[in-house]
Amino acid sequence: MTYAEAMVVGLIQGVTELFPVSSLGHNVLIPALIGGSWAQDLNVSAPESPYLAFIVGLHVATAAALIVYFWRDWVRLFGGFLSSLRERRIATADQRLAWMIILATIPVGIAGLLLEHAFRVYFSKPVPTAIFLAVNGVILLGGERAVRRRTSALAAPTPEPARAGGPQAEHAGGLTPEPSEPAEPSEPAEPARDREVARGVAADGRLSLMSFGRALLIGSAQIFALLPGISRDGVVTVTGMLRGASREDAVRFSFLLSTPVILAAGVLKVPDLTGTLGNGIRGQVLAGSLLSFVGAYLSVRFLTRYFAKDRPLTPFGIYCLLAGLGSLVYLLVR
């Protein structure tokens, strides 16, 4: 593995891990599309592949970026977990959400230990990955469509009884609007990051109100991300939206769930990288990890602000659908 390969893969891993477009899918497809030494050096499905250990090891850097960005939230949630153990109860919003994250992480942890090898051997090849990437696009687009239809149905106006004489009569009868009071001078705006933290605390309060069963269901959706091309954050966000969460809250829950999962996956691969599989590529691992950290930090910063404005998953769905189908056609006809 060259430094150029490691740095490109590291940056792609950091960016695509948090965007709902599948980091593993991109790390399988890009070497195959480039071909040549890239396809040989960066083959996930090869037996005892150092490339797999490399990209999973990059998860440590990605998780570190999430922890740094959300450090105040994790301190608060960890405090809620400790206080829950100390008090032997689950009462506050932080306590409930901390236990929800633990509970929702268990299914994918078990599935990863049992199925990761089989899924990698049978599915981590370019053609199946391209198909799954297109399927990921369909999931994102279908989820957005379902949520829009539900929102439109709930927002449908109900006819109000007509008032005698209408608005003109009300005005004639003396029901004139009261003059508005002059607006008070606005206070200086909070720093953007402080506003994001406040929004996060409010979102956690809303998330803590869902049932533990719903949290388990949403967390179980991460199992589908074992298939290369299916995005963990994408399927968790769509599942959360379909279960009643707002888009912003569903995305936040997906980020909170991602952190322990990708950290654990990366830590499990670190011994491989310090062993024989890491011989000759440890410098490349450090270079790739640095870019993975930077890419992940910038991505979570962008996505947090993007979804705070209630923007849809549609652009990511279109991208996955076109990229998946385009890659499939290219791989089949070349």
Side-chain angles (χ1 to χ4, degrees):
M1 183 186 300
T2 66
Y3 274 91
E5 292 168 343
M7 293 170 72
V8 169
V9 170
L11 185 60
I12 291 172
Q13 163 65 33
V15 172
T16 57
E17 180 66 43
L18 301 176
F19 276 76
V21 296
S22 177
S23 61
L24 181 56
H26 281 73
N27 285 326
V28 171
L29 283 176
I30 289 177
L33 295 174
I34 294 175
S37 61
W38 284 66
Q40 295 175 4
D41 297 341
L42 310 179
N43 185 354
V44 173
S45 60
E48 297 300 318
S49 169
Y51 179 51
L52 176 67
F54 170 69
I55 60 176
V56 178
L58 293 178
H59 284 51
V60 175
T62 306
L66 282 170
I67 292 171
V68 169
Y69 191 82
F70 292 115
W71 71 268
R72 283 180 278 194
D73 303 286
W74 281 114
V75 168
R76 176 169 46 80
L77 291 172
F78 188 65
F81 171 70
L82 293 180
S83 66
S84 176
L85 292 179
R86 183 175 60 253
E87 299 169 6
R88 297 185 180 181
R89 62 172 187 164
I90 303 175
T92 69
D94 292 341
Q95 291 172 345
R96 283 183 58 84
L97 187 56
W99 281 106
M100 284 179 183
I101 292 171
I102 294 171
L103 179 65
T105 303
I106 293 173
V108 69
I110 296 174
L113 291 174
L114 296 178
L115 302 175
E116 182 273 332
H117 178 76
F119 276 36
R120 175 171 60 85
V121 170
Y122 293 109
F123 297 118
S124 293
K125 296 177 173 62
V127 169
T129 298
I131 294 173
F132 286 129
L133 185 61
V135 170
N136 188 68
V138 173
I139 292 171
L140 298 180
L141 294 173
E144 278 290 343
R145 180 178 176 82
V147 171
R148 280 199 305 270
R149 292 178 63 181
R150 183 184 65 195
T151 303
S152 299
L154 292 174
T158 55
E160 297 182 1
R163 297 177 179 175
Q168 298 284 345
E170 288 186 1
H171 184 76
L175 299 178
T176 56
E178 297 181 0
S180 57
E181 297 181 0
E184 297 181 0
S186 58
E187 297 180 359
E190 306 177 79
R193 186 68 185 110
D194 289 344
R195 292 198 300 271
E196 288 178 19
V197 172
R199 290 180 70 94
V201 173
D204 289 351
R206 293 189 296 270
L207 289 169
S208 70
L209 297 177
M210 67 179 167
S211 67
F212 284 95
R214 182 179 297 182
L216 180 63
L217 174 64
I218 296 173
S220 298
Q222 296 178 96
I223 295 173
F224 292 103
L226 294 173
L227 296 169
I230 303 297
S231 164
R232 175 186 295 106
D233 290 307
V235 294
V236 170
T237 298
V238 168
T239 305
M241 291 164 58
L242 293 177
R243 299 305 299 171
S246 69
R247 189 182 292 105
E248 182 182 5
D249 290 357
V251 169
R252 179 174 175 81
F253 195 49
S254 75
F255 287 161
L256 293 176
L257 289 181
S258 292
T259 305
V261 173
I262 63 179
L263 179 61
V267 168
L268 287 174
K269 288 298 180 181
V270 167
D272 291 341
L273 294 175
T274 57
T276 56
L277 282 180
N279 290 342
I281 63 169
R282 293 193 179 95
Q284 293 90 316
V285 170
L286 292 176
S289 296
L290 177 61
L291 286 178
S292 182
F293 177 91
V294 173
Y297 187 88
L298 294 177
S299 294
V300 70
R301 180 180 177 182
F302 168 80
L303 290 170
T304 300
R305 298 177 182 183
Y306 176 90
F307 288 112
K309 298 178 180 179
D310 201 31
R311 290 171 173 164
L313 294 164
T314 305
F316 309 110
I318 294 173
Y319 166 78
C320 290
L321 186 60
L322 294 179
L325 293 178
S327 299
L328 180 62
V329 171
Y330 175 79
L331 293 168
L332 292 177
V333 302
R334 69 175 179 177

